[in-house]
Amino acid sequence: MAAGSYYYKDVLPFSAMVAAECTNVGLNTLFKAATLRGLSYYVFIFYSSAIATPLLLPLPFIFRQRGLPTFKLSLLYRIFLLGVIGFVAQLCSYKGIEYSSPTLASAISNLIPAFTFILAVIFRMEILALRSSITQAKIMGTIVSISGALVVLFYKGPTIISASSQSPSLSLPSPPGSSQANWDWVIGGLLLTAEYLLLSICYIVQTQVIKIYPAELIIVLLNNVCATIVSAPVCLIAEGNLSAWRLRPDITLVAVIYSGIFGSFFSSVVHIWGLHLKGPVYISNFKPLSIAIAAAMSVIFLGDALYLGSVIGAIILSFGFYAVIWAKAKEELSEDKCYSSLESSPDGKTPLLDSNKVESIHIIE
């Protein structure tokens, strides 16, 4: 019995999260290879969303939740906004990968906690207590994360692993080290930064939506439906060449199907299940792992070069990432203690100290 519980609560979540990170990085690698074979990223985005929708459709019925509040029209507006922001984020994401590499995408993704913290402060969802070690860790982690991103973007340094010339069909169109390649790298990094800034906004909006209507699977499904509806006219207008919409039975078709099944369906299920079982901090801890996976896949399958600047920047980013996540974990622990004190108060009233703590805690999931 104890062995079964350990397997379900520790081994299985760990394996699932590693698999999810591998599939996400694999998606970016396949997309990069497919675009070098001529796949339009507008076609890729629409088909991916369209494939994921019927796969996500049965999940709310299989894992049905009871006691949900009434679904209001105002909630649908917010979910539609999530779909629009998510679609724009996808445009920035895949165009950024097209300009740069999956390794850069994985490195820049570690900015999400820092961006979420900055946005929470701007929208007054986070109170800055500058003397608090938690706030100091968040601020320092944010500064370190942004510093690491700047290193990755603007400093390549010497080559650690040279670009492969064995697979010219999957190699980068511009010679490594050329002026055009350097500009493409920076433009791609800026687009990826914009993507993760938009995703941070999505997380904040999604947190508010889930508080109003706590049914994650329904929200994920409706979000994907809205993204498909928005992407259809935009992608059809942007990609007017009808022949581009016919997928050949090669890596382009594999990339689209893989994206629909693993990129949207599998990742969504794993992350929602992981959030319920282990919490958001546990899920976030696996994010830096994607940098190593992406670097290995890019070198092996795309023949990309690996630069010293990418390694140094990724390490700095990871330190900043874990500093913010550590502060988040400490904050959640403080919140739990506050509510425990509140529940154990003999007269049912909130002690003054705990009351102040409760009022000052604002969590971004």
Side-chain angles (χ1 to χ4, degrees):
M1 188 72 177
S5 177
Y6 169 74
Y7 177 80
Y8 178 75
K9 291 185 177 180
D10 293 293
V11 177
L12 192 58
F14 179 85
S15 302
M17 288 308 306
V18 172
E21 290 301 327
C22 288
T23 55
N24 288 337
V25 174
L27 168 61
N28 291 339
T29 306
L30 272 174
F31 167 77
K32 179 72 176 182
T35 54
L36 294 172
R37 290 286 184 91
L39 175 66
S40 167
Y41 85 115
Y42 293 109
V43 174
F44 178 82
I45 289 172
F46 172 72
Y47 279 151
S48 298
S49 299
I51 291 172
T53 300
L55 293 174
L56 292 168
L57 184 59
L59 293 183
F61 301 98
I62 296 172
F63 304 100
R64 188 176 299 177
Q65 293 179 251
R66 300 184 183 277
L68 293 173
T70 305
F71 192 93
K72 298 180 180 179
L73 188 61
S74 59
L75 193 64
L76 187 61
Y77 294 151
R78 297 190 186 192
I79 295 175
F80 185 78
L81 175 63
L82 278 174
V84 172
I85 297 174
F87 169 65
V88 177
Q90 279 189 309
L91 291 177
C92 295
S93 170
Y94 291 119
K95 197 63 179 178
I97 294 172
E98 188 177 330
Y99 272 111
S100 55
S101 76
T103 306
L104 183 61
S106 296
I108 298 296
S109 70
N110 287 276
L111 282 173
I112 287 179
F115 282 155
T116 305
F117 172 65
I118 293 171
L119 290 170
V121 172
I122 292 173
F123 293 113
R124 297 184 178 180
M125 300 175 72
E126 182 92 25
I127 293 177
L128 288 179
L130 296 178
R131 293 183 179 180
S132 167
S133 60
I134 292 175
T135 301
Q136 291 170 2
K138 286 184 178 181
I139 294 173
M140 289 302 299
T142 299
I143 294 171
V144 171
S145 295
I146 294 173
S147 301
L150 292 174
V151 171
V152 171
L153 278 179
F154 297 108
Y155 174 68
K156 277 194 171 183
T159 304
I160 298 175
I161 300 176
S162 300
S164 172
S165 58
Q166 300 299 317
S167 303
S169 60
L170 295 182
S171 60
L172 294 173
S174 300
S178 69
S179 176
Q180 183 61 45
N182 290 335
W183 275 112
D184 287 350
W185 183 267
V186 173
I187 293 171
L190 293 175
L191 286 170
L192 291 168
T193 302
E195 176 211 356
Y196 292 115
L197 178 60
L198 290 170
L199 285 180
S200 299
I201 296 173
C202 275
Y203 291 152
I204 291 176
V205 176
Q206 194 173 42
T207 300
Q208 300 303 316
V209 170
I210 290 175
K211 284 181 180 178
I212 299 170
Y213 196 79
E216 293 90 343
L217 288 173
I218 295 176
I219 291 170
V220 168
L221 171 62
L222 293 176
N223 182 18
N224 199 83
V225 170
C226 292
T228 306
I229 293 171
V230 171
S231 66
V234 175
C235 292
L236 285 169
I237 293 171
E239 184 53 74
N241 183 11
L242 295 180
S243 62
W245 291 88
R246 291 195 296 269
L247 298 177
R248 299 185 298 274
D250 55 14
I251 196 170
T252 58
L253 180 61
V254 172
V256 168
I257 295 175
Y258 182 97
S259 173
I261 296 174
F262 293 102
S264 299
F265 174 73
F266 177 74
S267 293
S268 297
V269 171
V270 168
H271 281 89
I272 289 171
W273 173 69
L275 281 170
H276 277 293
L277 189 65
K278 304 292 283 187
V281 174
Y282 182 85
I283 302 300
S284 301
N285 283 337
F286 289 86
K287 205 63 189 171
L289 178 65
S290 65
I291 302 174
I293 299 170
M297 285 189 174
S298 296
V299 170
I300 295 170
F301 297 110
L302 298 176
D304 285 358
L306 182 62
Y307 297 97
L308 180 63
S310 298
V311 174
I312 294 174
I315 292 172
I316 296 173
L317 264 167
S318 298
F319 275 115
F321 172 89
Y322 280 123
V324 179
I325 291 300
W326 174 85
K328 170 70 176 171
K330 293 284 286 183
E331 192 172 45
E332 289 181 351
L333 184 62
S334 298
E335 184 187 45
D336 291 340
K337 288 181 179 179
C338 284
Y339 284 112
S340 296
S341 300
L342 187 100
E343 291 175 357
S344 62
S345 179
D347 58 357
K349 296 180 180 180
T350 307
L352 179 60
L353 181 61
D354 290 341
S355 176
N356 290 335
K357 286 180 181 177
V358 171
E359 290 176 1
S360 65
I361 290 173
H362 296 265
I363 302 293
I364 301 298
E365 299 294 349

